[in-house]
Amino acid sequence: MLLFFILGLLVHFVFFASIFDIYFTSPLVHGMTPQFTSLPPPARRLVLFVADGLRADSLYELDENGDSRAPFIRNIIMHEGSWGISHTRVPTESRPGHVALIAGFYEDVSAVAKGWKENPVEFDSLLNESKYTWGWGSPDILSMFAKDVSGDHVFIHTYDADDEDFGAHDVTKLDTWVFDNVKEFFRAARNNQSLFSKLNEEKIVFFLHLLGIDTNGHAHRPSSREYKDNIKIVDAGIKEMVSMFKHFYGNDGKTAFVFTADHGMTDWGVHGAGHPSETLTPFVTWGAGIKYPQNVSTQQFEDAFLKEWKLENWKRQDINQISLCKELIHLALKGLSYYHTYDRFFLGITVVLGFVGWTSYASLLILKFHSNLPRGGSKEVKKPSRLLQYSFVAIGVLVAFFLLIQAYPWTYYIYCLLPVPIWYAVLREFQVIQDLVASLLSCPPSHFVGYLLVSTLGIEVLVLSFFYRYMLTAGLIAFAGWPFITQLWTRAKRTSLNWIFFSLLLAVFPLMPVVGRKPDISLVMTAGLLVLLLSLFVVASLTKRKDSFVNEELPLHLLQMLSMVLSMYVVYSTDNSLLKKQGLPLINQIISWIILASSFVLPLLSPPILFERLFSILLSLMSTYILLSRGYEALFPLVLSCLMFAWIHMEQETLQQSGVSCKQKVNSIQFIYNTDLTQLRQLCLDDIRRAFFLVFFLVTAFFGTGNIASVNSFDVTSVYCFLTVFSPFIMGALMMWKILIPFVLVMCAFEAVQLTTQLSSKGLFLMVLVISDIMALHFFFLVRDYGSWLDIGTSISHYVIVMSMTMVLVFLNGLAQLLTTKKLTLCGKPKSHLI
């Protein structure tokens, strides 16, 4: 089994890597060739102001008093320069936006493999073509244009990354830092002859990146006072900068000024997709080479912005493509697409052959080692014929020769040769295939067609749930009807009612809006109170049922309840503190990290009796989840866990109904690390349902709270109880643990299901592998290399999620085993807790 797992890991890694060669190989040619023109430039220098995350409407509109938030910029529009709307395009992120502004093209899709952080393809830019460039602002933006430049002529000045603190009292300091450092730079230049000489050269660029507006938008939303006040600060700062530049250069009239933004922002404080609030940005330019304002009586625009902004008499000139440019772009993109997709069909066929072969082989192993498939013919294992071996060797040689004469890269050899040994392994199991065909022929056609339709419908519901969350609701409603199509309703009404109620209750969550857009701390407090009430009920029940509970186990339960109370306090007080601009209190931060660390230890102190250990795990993980919640999602793990408890009881009832003896009741079963292999049974059709339930609940654990498969969808405010200073790795790890908590709850419950139904974990692993690979084959054809970062990243994430499902399942299974079977004792020897 270990060898099979290692082989499976390698095969899936190849399948995963293939999408980058098939979909995301850059068609751009490396290298830069400078282009020169004989026309004299209208300006000797350019000053570029980029207000990160500034929406066009937020700048141009008048406030409730009829005054402009940016009086200096509005004065420029009316008396000195040209203005309009810059129509950016997806992905509306800082890196692609700045590359479009400064390099003049939309960065190709291969940048997604670097998370839009590195330069996967060398490209030329305005800064590289300048004689000298000085830049001030965020290290994330300025650093990428200083990389790979030809020569030492781009100088950047950045603040520390820790200053990008979403919970800071005043993030406008990110912009005032830029203005202050520019002023200090020019003061120093007057006493530095070398620097003074450089500043008076031609082809000079000054780049001022202003991040405060974007940071305030994420932290407080664009409709907030903080966001709007930041615009006023930027306007005043630009006014001061323009005056300083004119004074330094003696009003020589050779300075051009451009003020714009890389992207906008939605009303709920995110960006990345193609909503007009994200793609419409301001563009104002004045100075050398720029036309003065033009008064007009009418303007032809489809929108009503001119009237809203009281700018209908000043000619608006949007930055967008004219028809000839569009045609040229279309032809260029068509040519790029041709070269980019030249090998797509060929590589796609080879990967699909590998997929189908691997899935077939895993299915045959299930039938061979974990099922009661009737065996026909001799029971002796026959060696494969030499003809089969020679045939596949010949096929491999022919494929390698074809790739060699085509001079394909080495990765193509892996994709094309991998299906050869996989299909050889499939055909080696000819006897199992023969037995399967004989068994299918003996099955009534109606039964076979029914099983096939139900299986296909189940897989398609899982695939569609990645795009339409309400499909999870449909699935959970169908699950609620399970007791009625079996005899469970008449056999165990109480258990069936619990199953139906919590299935329908959980079905509500996929219909809720995406998490993070409407924070509601009161719902987080409600979730905490419900957990405390449930804890009191469980404590009262165990006190009546176990004489030793009060002396031995009650302190642990009280400690976990105290942890929940502290979590509620930290969430409430942290939210109030941030609203008052007082930052994250240190004591709250310390308590949060202690609760997080203790959540891994406290469950191990509880007795390994099934119900008590599962409830202890729920209490500990819920304490952490509360700290990471901002709204209704805090209720999700509680409802999910209640459904898991109902599932455990339902599966035991199902097993008893099928005639398999169950020696113990759920309340008396203990988790054990080493399962007695003699008690494990062969797989049956009902176990396919159990594997499907597991996959469905795992998918529900991810998408049920409104997550979408992109980092862009996660709200950074959910980690504010732990830290507010921008730290992508720590924040990412915390958000990842928040995502994993529902997964862990499902896997711990399934450990109990395996234990109560005597199900083989190896057989389960193979069944989940088959289900996930069938889903992965769907998503392989749905990977997108066009559209927004959100669209591209989501399509890749879908593929990655299902491809890694089996490997993640192994990790989660190990973590669930650790949490359910291990027992820690603070002193003395562990005592037996048998009922």
Side-chain angles (χ1 to χ4, degrees):
M1 188 64 184
L2 179 61
L3 178 61
F4 178 83
F5 174 73
I6 294 173
L7 289 174
L9 191 64
L10 293 174
V11 168
H12 282 77
F13 177 78
V14 171
F15 290 160
F16 167 68
S18 67
I19 65 169
F20 293 98
D21 271 330
I22 296 173
Y23 292 99
F24 300 107
T25 300
S26 174
L28 295 183
V29 177
H30 289 253
M32 300 188 226
T33 304
Q35 300 295 322
F36 299 100
T37 177
S38 58
L39 295 175
R44 291 175 61 90
R45 65 199 70 90
L46 168 69
V47 181
L48 175 62
F49 303 98
V50 179
D52 204 305
L54 176 59
R55 293 163 47 147
D57 57 347
S58 298
L59 178 76
Y60 293 138
E61 69 185 3
L62 302 179
D63 62 18
E64 57 276 6
N65 298 320
D67 298 325
S68 173
R69 298 190 188 95
F72 176 75
I73 294 296
R74 196 171 183 90
N75 182 70
I76 292 292
I77 293 172
M78 295 179 173
H79 300 102
E80 291 190 43
S82 298
W83 78 283
I85 295 176
S86 175
H87 295 261
T88 63
R89 54 158 270 184
V90 291
T92 49
E93 297 289 340
S94 292
R95 180 192 171 94
H98 279 87
V99 171
L101 284 171
I102 298 174
F105 74 100
Y106 293 111
E107 194 164 18
D108 70 278
V109 294
S110 64
V112 77
K114 300 287 187 178
W116 302 112
K117 294 296 183 184
E118 291 291 333
N119 300 351
V121 177
E122 189 179 8
F123 61 83
D124 201 0
S125 73
L126 168 70
L127 307 190
N128 186 60
E129 291 295 325
S130 68
K131 184 67 176 289
Y132 294 107
T133 291
W134 286 271
W136 295 265
S138 168
D140 297 329
I141 298 301
L142 293 175
S143 298
M144 69 177 173
F145 290 105
K147 181 185 178 185
D148 297 331
V149 295
S150 55
D152 184 17
H153 64 281
V154 176
F155 309 98
I156 61 174
H157 307 270
T158 65
Y159 40 74
D160 193 274
D162 290 343
D163 291 336
E164 299 175 13
D165 186 351
F166 297 106
H169 174 71
D170 183 13
V171 297
T172 59
K173 64 183 181 182
L174 299 177
D175 296 336
T176 56
W177 183 96
V178 172
F179 297 137
D180 291 342
N181 276 264
V182 174
K183 288 186 288 186
E184 181 59 34
F185 172 80
F186 276 93
R187 276 197 294 267
R190 294 188 179 278
N191 300 318
N192 186 326
Q193 186 58 44
S194 174
L195 178 57
F196 188 84
S197 299
K198 290 179 180 178
L199 288 172
N200 282 279
E201 295 275 1
E202 292 186 346
K203 297 175 64 177
I204 303 298
V205 176
F206 301 97
F207 174 30
L208 281 69
H209 176 249
L210 307 169
L211 186 61
I213 293 175
D214 183 76
T215 307
N216 262 318
H218 285 303
H220 305 288
R221 311 295 187 259
S223 60
S224 66
R225 178 178 56 80
E226 290 83 358
Y227 185 88
K228 295 173 181 177
D229 286 349
N230 205 148
I231 296 175
K232 296 178 181 178
I233 291 173
V234 166
D235 180 71
I238 292 176
K239 179 180 180 180
E240 190 176 8
M241 292 296 101
V242 171
S243 175
M244 183 200 67
F245 276 106
K246 289 182 178 180
H247 178 70
F248 185 86
Y249 288 106
N251 291 308
D252 64 355
K254 291 295 184 179
T255 306
F257 299 92
V258 174
F259 175 67
T260 187
D262 54 346
H263 57 75
M265 187 171 291
T266 62
D267 291 339
W268 51 93
V270 299
H271 52 82
H275 191 273
S277 62
E278 299 170 89
T279 60
L280 301 183
T281 59
F283 190 90
V284 182
T285 182
W286 67 100
I290 308 299
K291 287 184 178 180
Y292 277 84
Q294 302 177 49
N295 290 324
V296 292
S297 57
T298 59
Q299 301 191 62
Q300 299 299 321
F301 286 97
E302 294 180 0
D303 55 64
F305 293 143
L306 288 169
K307 197 169 184 179
E308 292 175 13
W309 300 337
K310 302 288 190 292
L311 290 171
E312 56 265 50
N313 295 327
W314 285 269
K315 186 175 181 180
R316 168 179 153 191
Q317 303 184 72
D318 284 10
I319 306 297
N320 212 336
Q321 306 297 341
I322 55 166
S323 58
L324 184 63
C325 188
K326 282 188 175 180
E327 183 180 352
L328 177 61
I329 289 175
H330 175 73
L331 290 174
L333 289 176
K334 193 173 180 180
L336 284 174
S337 177
Y338 173 77
Y339 287 107
H340 179 49
T341 61
Y342 188 80
D343 293 323
R344 181 171 294 181
F345 180 77
F346 166 63
L347 289 178
I349 289 294
T350 60
V351 173
V352 168
L353 283 173
F355 255 120
V356 175
W358 178 258
T359 306
S360 302
Y361 182 60
S363 302
L364 292 174
L365 290 182
I366 294 173
L367 295 172
K368 184 176 182 180
F369 297 109
H370 301 284
S371 74
N372 291 317
L373 181 71
R375 303 291 195 268
S378 174
K379 293 185 179 180
E380 296 181 3
V381 180
K382 296 181 179 179
K383 293 184 178 180
S385 65
R386 291 192 177 276
L387 177 61
L388 183 66
Q389 296 177 356
Y390 293 152
S391 299
F392 275 89
V393 169
I395 291 172
V397 171
L398 288 174
V399 170
F401 181 70
F402 168 75
L403 296 174
L404 182 64
I405 60 175
Q406 292 288 331
Y408 280 123
W410 64 271
T411 53
Y412 283 41
Y413 287 81
I414 299 176
Y415 305 142
C416 297
L417 291 175
L418 184 62
V420 177
I422 290 178
W423 279 102
Y424 172 70
V426 170
L427 294 181
R428 282 188 61 181
E429 305 297 338
F430 178 75
Q431 185 62 52
V432 181
I433 299 173
Q434 202 172 30
D435 295 339
L436 174 62
V437 172
S439 178
L440 292 176
L441 292 175
S442 64
C443 176
S446 60
H447 288 191
F448 173 72
V449 173
Y451 290 140
L452 185 62
L453 287 176
V454 170
S455 301
T456 303
L457 179 62
I459 294 291
E460 295 306 317
V461 167
L462 285 174
V463 172
L464 288 173
S465 67
F466 279 65
F467 302 97
Y468 311 104
R469 291 170 55 219
Y470 59 79
M471 294 304 297
L472 294 174
T473 299
L476 287 166
I477 292 174
F479 284 5
W482 175 35
F484 297 106
I485 61 175
T486 61
Q487 300 301 317
L488 289 172
W489 175 251
T490 56
R491 180 186 177 91
K493 283 192 176 181
R494 183 177 178 181
T495 302
S496 297
L497 281 173
N498 286 334
W499 169 263
I500 294 169
F501 174 74
F502 288 113
S503 293
L504 295 177
L505 189 58
L506 192 66
V508 174
F509 284 89
L511 301 177
M512 301 290 281
V514 174
V515 166
R517 296 191 176 181
K518 293 183 179 179
D520 191 344
I521 300 301
S522 63
L523 290 177
V524 181
M525 297 296 103
T526 302
L529 288 174
L530 288 174
V531 173
L532 289 175
L533 289 175
L534 183 61
S535 302
L536 291 173
F537 174 78
V538 171
V539 167
S541 176
L542 291 175
T543 302
K544 292 179 181 179
R545 195 155 50 88
K546 292 179 66 176
D547 295 334
S548 61
F549 176 77
V550 174
N551 295 328
E552 297 180 4
E553 299 163 28
L554 181 59
L556 175 61
H557 280 269
L558 293 177
L559 181 59
Q560 290 183 302
M561 291 171 67
L562 176 62
S563 177
M564 176 58 66
V565 172
L566 288 174
S567 294
M568 295 169 62
Y569 164 77
V570 168
V571 170
Y572 184 77
S573 63
T574 298
D575 185 65
N576 280 341
S577 179
L578 292 176
L579 286 175
K580 296 175 182 177
K581 303 294 183 64
Q582 296 174 352
L584 172 62
L586 179 60
I587 185 64
N588 288 13
Q589 190 174 23
I590 293 173
I591 293 174
S592 298
W593 285 106
I594 290 175
I595 291 174
L596 174 63
S598 65
S599 66
F600 297 97
V601 179
L602 292 180
L604 305 183
L605 298 173
S606 65
I609 298 171
L610 187 146
F611 175 78
E612 295 180 39
R613 177 57 67 90
L614 289 180
F615 189 74
S616 180
I617 293 170
L618 171 63
L619 277 182
S620 290
L621 294 183
M622 274 300 295
S623 298
T624 302
Y625 201 86
I626 289 290
L627 292 171
L628 293 167
S629 297
R630 298 286 294 166
Y632 74 85
E633 80 271 21
L635 296 163
F636 179 76
L638 179 60
V639 178
L640 178 66
S641 296
C642 291
L643 181 60
M644 294 298 100
F645 282 118
W647 184 29
I648 296 168
H649 285 85
M650 288 286 285
E651 290 295 356
Q652 192 178 47
E653 294 290 344
T654 303
L655 208 64
Q656 290 176 348
Q657 182 178 300
S658 63
V660 180
S661 62
C662 297
K663 298 178 182 179
Q664 291 178 295
K665 293 184 178 180
V666 171
N667 292 337
S668 63
I669 295 176
Q670 291 202 33
F671 284 109
I672 52 175
Y673 183 72
N674 292 315
T675 307
D676 186 358
L677 296 178
T678 60
Q679 293 183 355
L680 297 179
R681 56 180 175 79
Q682 294 286 63
L683 300 177
C684 60
L685 282 176
D686 221 21
D687 293 321
I688 299 177
R689 176 192 55 76
R690 293 185 177 100
F692 176 79
F693 273 24
L694 173 61
V695 176
F696 187 92
F697 286 135
L698 289 174
V699 173
T700 304
F702 183 75
F703 291 105
T705 56
N707 296 324
I708 54 178
S710 169
V711 176
N712 187 58
S713 71
F714 301 120
D715 188 5
V716 72
T717 60
S718 62
V719 302
Y720 280 1
C721 289
F722 293 88
L723 75 166
T724 56
V725 176
F726 182 66
S727 177
F729 294 106
I730 299 177
M731 287 179 167
L734 289 170
M735 287 191 284
M736 184 59 66
W737 180 236
K738 178 184 178 181
I739 295 168
L740 286 178
I741 284 175
F743 284 76
V744 174
L745 293 172
V746 172
M747 285 307 302
C748 288
F750 196 74
E751 278 290 308
V753 171
Q754 284 184 266
L755 195 61
T756 57
T757 59
Q758 298 114 43
L759 179 62
S760 167
S761 60
K762 294 179 181 178
L764 166 75
F765 173 84
L766 290 173
M767 285 192 292
V768 173
L769 178 68
V770 170
I771 294 173
S772 62
D773 280 352
I774 295 173
M775 292 171 63
L777 194 55
H778 283 74
F779 291 116
F780 175 78
F781 292 105
L782 296 174
V783 172
R784 296 179 60 173
D785 60 350
Y786 58 91
S788 70
W789 182 7
L790 191 64
D791 297 332
I792 296 171
T794 299
S795 68
I796 296 175
S797 299
H798 287 165
Y799 185 67
V800 172
I801 288 170
V802 292
M803 283 293 290
S804 59
M805 186 176 291
T806 309
M807 270 58 74
V808 172
L809 186 66
V810 172
F811 163 74
L812 292 175
N813 186 62
L815 181 59
Q817 277 198 356
L818 175 67
L819 290 173
T820 54
T821 61
K822 292 297 181 182
K823 178 72 169 72
L824 295 180
T825 52
L826 296 178
C827 59
K829 295 182 179 179
K831 297 183 179 180
S832 177
H833 296 274
L834 296 175
I835 298 177

